[in-house]
Amino acid sequence: MEVCTVGGYEEVGKNMTAVKIGEDVFLFDMGLNIPGIVELQEEDLLDYASRAKNEGGQKKEVKRRNTQPTEQKLREFGAIPDDRILDKMGWRDKVRAIFISHAHLDHVGAVPYLINRYPRVPIFGSPFTMKFLETILENERVPFNNPLKTVQPNSNHVIKGKSGSYPVDFIHTTHSTLDCVFLALHTPEGVFFYALDLKFDNHPTMGAPPNYKKMKELGKKKVKVLVMDALYSGTEKKPGSETIARQLVEDSIAKVRGSHGALFITTFSSHIERLNSIVEFGKKTGREIIFLGRSLNKYVSVAMDIKKCPFKNDVKLVKYRKQINSTLGRIEKHRDKYIVVCTGHQAEENSILDRIVGGETPFKFREGDNLIFASSIIPVSINIAAREKMDNKLKRLGVRLQKDVHVHGHGSREDMRDLIRMLKPKHIVPSHGTLQQEIPLVEVASEFGYKFGETSHLSSNGKLLHLD
Amino acid sequence: MEVCTVGGYEEVGKNMTAVKIGEDVFLFDMGLNIPGIVELQEEDLLDYASRAKNEGGQKKEVKRRNTQPTEQKLREFGAIPDDRILDKMGWRDKVRAIFISHAHLDHVGAVPYLINRYPRVPIFGSPFTMKFLETILENERVPFNNPLKTVQPNSNHVIKGKSGSYPVDFIHTTHSTLDCVFLALHTPEGVFFYALDLKFDNHPTMGAPPNYKKMKELGKKKVKVLVMDALYSGTEKKPGSETIARQLVEDSIAKVRGSHGALFITTFSSHIERLNSIVEFGKKTGREIIFLGRSLNKYVSVAMDIKKCPFKNDVKLVKYRKQINSTLGRIEKHRDKYIVVCTGHQAEENSILDRIVGGETPFKFREGDNLIFASSIIPVSINIAAREKMDNKLKRLGVRLQKDVHVHGHGSREDMRDLIRMLKPKHIVPSHGTLQQEIPLVEVASEFGYKFGETSHLSSNGKLLHLD
Amino acid sequence: MEVCTVGGYEEVGKNMTAVKIGEDVFLFDMGLNIPGIVELQEEDLLDYASRAKNEGGQKKEVKRRNTQPTEQKLREFGAIPDDRILDKMGWRDKVRAIFISHAHLDHVGAVPYLINRYPRVPIFGSPFTMKFLETILENERVPFNNPLKTVQPNSNHVIKGKSGSYPVDFIHTTHSTLDCVFLALHTPEGVFFYALDLKFDNHPTMGAPPNYKKMKELGKKKVKVLVMDALYSGTEKKPGSETIARQLVEDSIAKVRGSHGALFITTFSSHIERLNSIVEFGKKTGREIIFLGRSLNKYVSVAMDIKKCPFKNDVKLVKYRKQINSTLGRIEKHRDKYIVVCTGHQAEENSILDRIVGGETPFKFREGDNLIFASSIIPVSINIAAREKMDNKLKRLGVRLQKDVHVHGHGSREDMRDLIRMLKPKHIVPSHGTLQQEIPLVEVASEFGYKFGETSHLSSNGKLLHLD
Amino acid sequence: MEVCTVGGYEEVGKNMTAVKIGEDVFLFDMGLNIPGIVELQEEDLLDYASRAKNEGGQKKEVKRRNTQPTEQKLREFGAIPDDRILDKMGWRDKVRAIFISHAHLDHVGAVPYLINRYPRVPIFGSPFTMKFLETILENERVPFNNPLKTVQPNSNHVIKGKSGSYPVDFIHTTHSTLDCVFLALHTPEGVFFYALDLKFDNHPTMGAPPNYKKMKELGKKKVKVLVMDALYSGTEKKPGSETIARQLVEDSIAKVRGSHGALFITTFSSHIERLNSIVEFGKKTGREIIFLGRSLNKYVSVAMDIKKCPFKNDVKLVKYRKQINSTLGRIEKHRDKYIVVCTGHQAEENSILDRIVGGETPFKFREGDNLIFASSIIPVSINIAAREKMDNKLKRLGVRLQKDVHVHGHGSREDMRDLIRMLKPKHIVPSHGTLQQEIPLVEVASEFGYKFGETSHLSSNGKLLHLD
């Protein structure tokens, strides 16, 4: 089996892996890259790309349509996987299918920029993922002729290739958005198993725990290669279930009870489970719940479309800049009547929260207001500095902050051990991180007898692995 | 109000605080000290004291009765609060009552060694605490004439003194053992509030959340002084509820399903909630559950006595050395028939787990066995090194380890903010740590306007604070 | 003895301490505050103050004369010691002398803003310190009537007060600028010893090691109070002598030999010893050495004035913006002919280095150029993020960076132990840091038997200590 | 070129690398392994091996002759490189020469156990290295027929093989013992360069700086492969020259002046430069200098034999247990007459220092005695815990400790950059560490355009690299 580790093997971002069996090639994920950022949402990401080009770094309104990045620019900045390696190896024309694991931009975000290089190749994903992909394709106004194939989690689909037919399992798993799947490609040489992103939550607040039964079944067959999310392979302690985040959300909202100040909650826009918890306990306050911003609106609309948005009648979506401002003006006057949910928890420049704290909107934070961060600081220096500045400003204004109302979405060593135990793969290939983040998984694998350079591997972007 | 911070203000351990109002003095806690260890169980502690005296460090059976430490030895080693300061100030004869917050040895363990210095002074505590105190007094065979007064959590008791009558509230709170209380002493100058150990768990698995209602009520009256557990005042993130530990226990036991190896679980002997979760999910395996060791036996028996041991019919208690060995011999032969719960999670020398791993018992760990640490390593160098050695040995033997199946029992900054908000005390005195561990609470207090040296303080053992 | 710890006891900055003996008060230092920054130079500091007021944070030329901060503004921002406490206590009119320890802005920078509150009170300092003070008073165009008294290190001066006469020793010590002194005020109650900033360098590259002989002599008399720099009291390892920095400078310049690219070296403008090493080894390259910027120019001019600038004939000083630009234009064309020394090592906005890297000057860094950081990153989030951004940009341009060519200027625990051993003071008061940075000195003092709250203390800004 | 990375690629220890050109194989180093220990001396090491076998861990006299480990035992414990891979590949019979880089046991210590597998193959090394090798071969009483070839640093030697003749450069470099060399094997495919252990000291206190001239010359030819010490590749800051350690030694001894207590200094027995500094400043105290213990005696005797022991007439060597005890008895009585230099700085069980502190010798530490650690704690948990225990004991006894009087012997990133710049190798292979310690060198290499998996590599023990 030949595996080309196209992207995501030297960074957190732009995930893409290609597998070749005979004359047939399969692609897994096609994501965007934001250096060092684990989970990123669409709006932030495009802003980032735009800002990166404005070298001066001035703060100005980003005109989206005018700044849409070209493929060339994106490659120059390393923002998309460098799939030209497939041309070089003669693999591009052999691609039979593209599989998307879940709806995060570091897994699906590069599709609009690369899809035309793979004409007519069908793209497969779960309902939430595919609906989200449709949305970003529409937004980017990309013409394309690829069939978009929606597959239910825990179902199977057969892909016909030149050298044979390949059943693919779409295996339900948990992470931090809806409808995440692991992918198992059955080949004559054994199963290629793609486990990005990895987190085993046995107590999710929406949907079922991961489909361990299927994984154990596969483990009894021959799993040849396991490509797996190694991001937290250096961490022993389990991250905790989303149930825990639900409790933390409950407690944090309960503390605000009785306050006559405003209440803002900032979190990840793709995290429907988290948003659901926020709405569930938010409703009990009697305040009206408003979701502010394009990114939130996009993910929530997708969840509604696929009928997986339990809170669809409980929130008001406000999407456009103009509406946002008028809404914020109303909140300024009746601050104890609303809960505002928005993005901006990393204090990203130009995010809604950044603009509010910067005094650029009709709403101004003041003594007695409340802000809950249903997130953690992603530990890169730019975020740490930006949040420190923002938090200090908010504290001086007298805003009550509640931070770290969060559990993150990547499993640690114990989840990796579980997966290895279930699948018993011949080869393990760590992914989804820098080399330093991936190498501890080699150590974990060695506990099970995997030998580095023989059955456990460390790859790099664009490298070809021949795995026997 | 005069507050003498007798012990526990420069270390984690030997907690004791004295308060004088007119001619009446009240004592809060009377604990033992184990340097740097947060939560310690009785057995370990006495072993420690014994070992410390055997300079050679040889591994031998500790003869308990012969090695009972004298008051003088205990003082020399700093193992008990140095309450001779009360003699010096002429306070000792004025002591009207001793209050014990909860049944951990760093709060109650020095009673047997100091009680005779306070003849006839009544000792007050909750049912679990007082029953445990009775047990250790019996074990130590200390003659005494102090009335032992059991008070229900969330009730009130009035102490008569020379200068007046003092109502005391015993306020239910949560920590990591049963029947923990905060103490509120009502005086003409306002309330003295004693909040050791502090952890706010809104989702306990046994009993109710803390009695916030009472705390808020007191906040409306005048709270003069708040002495509070500052151990985790440097940490922002909340430690998580015991519900989380329950989930972790559930998951860890679920993973062992199907194993034909032995299953050992090691945890804190006083942590009845945790033990209850272990039994709850342990029962589902169909294995017989055995609690091994004197310390576990002692706390569980106390819980049974006060009818707060839901699992009393589900476990078998094995207490004495001889029995332990014969039981371990049986387990060796029928390893998939039992779950063994024991102490020794810090790899303490001579603990049961240490002796088993050291090959000193009839049971030997081997390939396929399972060991769950429902605990975390208490981060002092001796534990870190001992556990690393133990873990490596177990891994070489092929034992499957699950670690950190645990949430700890001390609240972080957010809990401290909550308490300050509710009580609005005039003065804050951090306790339960080294000076370096206590000073971050001064920083937290400054967010609310407390000024160091005026309304927030840093004390030391034996210091007298005059608080206006 | 009454000691009022006016400023610098809860932060690194705005150092000021007042001591009262009978009817006579003495002030020690009068510094500016830059939150969390250990060693800061003038230019950066005023820029900072200016920027802080431009809330938008836009990048624009700072007009110095127009933005000079008022006393009120400075107080509001916490930029100067809050000496109004002296009014409150009735101490202000009793001030007999002001002593300045050394020429760093966190020790001397507030003089221009506060001096008029102490009319006719003489100010004492060493030659370098007083000359620097003159310079900043001139720059700020502050009218004043205070006698400026220059005293040689290792000499003695007697101050006449109302309640007596007070000999003061100016004791030579080492730090990271010229002519640093410890101050010993002799009073009837014993010596008040002021040891800011503390670093014992036994192998300085200019001048002598600290005057240990004098310190030991004083130790034989009665030292009542020792106020000391506790900044690195948490660190065991000695920082190393300036000889080490000299070697590092030598090696870093040697590595550039043969390069045809530009060579920039950035360091602290007040660090004459370091500058001397740079010039010494810079000369050997045959390149012309140019010192760029107002701040460097100021300190170097002061060193020249007092005849302690060994390299005065070896460098060209370029001070004003216009000249700087034309000079940079020349360097752009003949990049292998010059060594440029400048500030900006913390990537401070609007510093020369920041403007060069930002492309705002005629000189542009490119492949093959060299930049040596004779400094370390001061570990606050804003600097870490700014430097990471700057360094990445420079690496992309192909500039060869050499970092951490530096030893810092504050002694660690071992220096503190030495001072305590020599002086044997009755009381120790940690200073020059946050409470968390100061508290480890209490631990160090405890090794010598000092007891917290009795003979070792932790103070706060504006607090009055009565020390018997 | 085929490179077999036999040992030292997944740990710090048992270094061994094999290179095959046509029908000729060359071995580089043959070291012992002590898990996780950077620099280790002989005595400690053999003790360790012995102790490891005494599972009970009882403290008893180690009988050396009886406990000599067999090859089989050593392999079982992973204490020697697993060179059986060479048999498997058919390389063993083709070995033409063995090169030893320097006299540390992790580079030379396995020779006595493996030499008989390579009959008649000559062993090459510098004078200090070869003399030391002779000593350990004699001690182990191993019969062998291999020519021992002593080669001067900075000379060249030609090895004749089956497929050609191979000039080898022995290039002088600096580390933390005498006569360290880098090895450059010239082959038709280019140079194989072996750079273990790497530290560039431009200001050594004995001998010359590294031979950069030769390295630059080689860089102009074709260097095909560079195997290099990556141990500190995660560290940016340079470790500092031995001159610095010399200053620290000077200062630490100066502080003891006037003390009437004992003076002990503990350091690495192979570190002749350090010992020289200790003697140089020790002499000034007028005390007699005694070197205690077998390990010190061995290295110092070797230095004397090769005429590189400047202090040979200034110290008294005491080697055997009996003599040691009687000497310590004399010191006990005349404690201010001696300086004792010994090993045991890691508080290793059964080391001299451990035995003294444990009260097992006629000398007992007491109030006023002095102990200087001319070493740092090697950061593994067993050392940290052992030293913490030892230090606490010594402090309680009133011994004045000076710690970290040390700079370590491995260069950081900047040294690695220098070497890469000078040699411009085609391939880089990090060595001398765990995978996690080696991987940052891949990052450093990427700054120069090396691509992971193509021109920079990560190997494992026993792996074969084909490098084109």
Side-chain angles (χ1 to χ4, degrees), chain D residues 206-260:
Chain D
M206 285 175 65
N211 187 351
Y212 298 128
K213 193 160 155 278
K214 185 73 194 172
M215 297 183 221
K216 285 174 190 164
E217 270 174 41
L218 288 170
K220 283 167 196 155
K221 300 185 188 175
K222 202 172 101 191
V223 175
K224 180 85 176 252
V225 177
L226 167 59
V227 168
M228 78 194 283
D229 171 3
L231 188 59
Y232 276 75
S233 59
T235 303
E236 190 63 46
K237 200 171 173 73
K238 280 192 66 125
S241 157
E242 186 61 23
T243 328
I244 295 167
R246 192 178 168 277
Q247 275 188 5
L248 294 172
V249 166
E250 179 182 4
D251 292 359
S252 65
I253 292 178
K255 284 192 196 176
V256 175
R257 205 157 295 158
S259 162
H260 296 296

Side-chain angles (χ1 to χ4, degrees), chain D residues 68-348:
Chain D
Q68 185 175 341
T70 60
E71 187 195 316
Q72 192 200 323
K73 272 278 168 201
L74 288 165
R75 291 204 192 278
E76 192 182 302
F77 277 83
I80 53 173
D82 192 357
D83 63 341
R84 290 172 301 186
I85 182 73
L86 302 181
D87 301 65
K88 228 183 281 177
M89 300 193 302
W91 287 24
R92 181 149 70 100
D93 299 338
K94 303 190 172 76
V95 174
R96 310 296 171 219
I98 299 167
F99 305 105
I100 306 293
S101 61
H102 63 288
H104 281 149
L105 284 170
D106 56 336
H107 295 262
V108 69
V111 172
Y113 309 111
L114 295 178
I115 194 169
N116 286 319
R117 287 171 44 75
Y118 305 94
R120 279 174 303 276
V121 175
I123 305 179
F124 295 85
S126 66
F128 187 77
T129 306
M130 295 313 286
K131 200 77 204 168
F132 179 73
L133 175 56
E134 277 175 39
T135 304
I136 61 174
L137 285 166
E138 270 168 41
N139 283 2
E140 301 295 329
R141 295 178 194 165
V142 178
F144 64 93
N145 58 15
N146 307 59
L148 300 186
K149 306 269 197 174
T150 298
V151 184
Q152 290 302 322
N154 293 329
S155 72
N156 187 290
H157 198 92
V158 179
I159 314 287
K160 289 211 188 292
K162 273 248 169 99
S163 312
S165 279
Y166 307 87
V168 183
D169 293 313
F170 293 75
I171 304 164
H172 167 69
T173 189
T174 48
H175 173 40
S176 58
T177 189
L178 292 184
D179 273 4
C180 299
V181 293
F182 288 162
L183 296 153
L185 175 76
H186 295 256
T187 83
E189 297 181 43
V191 170
F192 173 84
F193 198 101
Y194 184 81
L196 264 62
D197 288 352
L198 174 70
K199 176 182 175 176
F200 287 153
D201 186 345
N202 297 322
H203 309 271
T205 64
M206 285 175 65
N211 187 351
Y212 298 128
K213 193 160 155 278
K214 185 73 194 172
M215 297 183 221
K216 285 174 190 164
E217 270 174 41
L218 288 170
K220 283 167 196 155
K221 300 185 188 175
K222 202 172 101 191
V223 175
K224 180 85 176 252
V225 177
L226 167 59
V227 168
M228 78 194 283
D229 171 3
L231 188 59
Y232 276 75
S233 59
T235 303
E236 190 63 46
K237 200 171 173 73
K238 280 192 66 125
S241 157
E242 186 61 23
T243 328
I244 295 167
R246 192 178 168 277
Q247 275 188 5
L248 294 172
V249 166
E250 179 182 4
D251 292 359
S252 65
I253 292 178
K255 284 192 196 176
V256 175
R257 205 157 295 158
S259 162
H260 296 296
L263 170 53
F264 280 64
I265 305 178
T266 175
T267 193
F268 297 92
S269 55
S270 65
H271 204 326
I272 306 297
E273 270 187 277
R274 185 69 51 81
L275 293 168
N276 191 37
S277 297
I278 290 169
V279 174
E280 178 185 351
F281 297 106
K283 283 196 298 188
K284 298 187 181 172
T285 63
R287 294 174 179 231
E288 185 183 348
I289 304 172
I290 294 175
F291 279 29
L292 228 57
R294 282 169 22 95
S295 172
L296 262 172
N297 185 78
K298 195 177 302 176
Y299 276 108
V300 170
S301 300
V302 168
M304 287 176 177
D305 285 349
I306 64 155
K307 317 282 183 219
K308 286 197 177 169
C309 185
F311 53 84
K312 64 177 185 297
N313 299 320
D314 299 317
V315 305
K316 187 174 166 190
L317 295 171
V318 179
K319 183 176 173 183
Y320 297 107
R321 183 63 59 97
K322 227 174 178 176
Q323 276 183 287
I324 289 174
N325 277 348
S326 69
T327 304
L328 285 170
R330 207 162 60 248
I331 295 165
E332 173 69 25
K333 282 180 203 133
H334 311 282
R335 52 210 317 124
D336 61 348
K337 298 281 176 272
Y338 301 96
I339 293 176
V340 179
V341 179
C342 63
T343 56
H345 40 84
Q346 303 302 318
E348 302 93 336

Side-chain angles (χ1 to χ4, degrees), chain C residues 1 143 169 171 321 416:
Chain C
M1 195 179 288
D169 294 313
I171 303 163
R321 181 65 59 99
M416 296 172 199

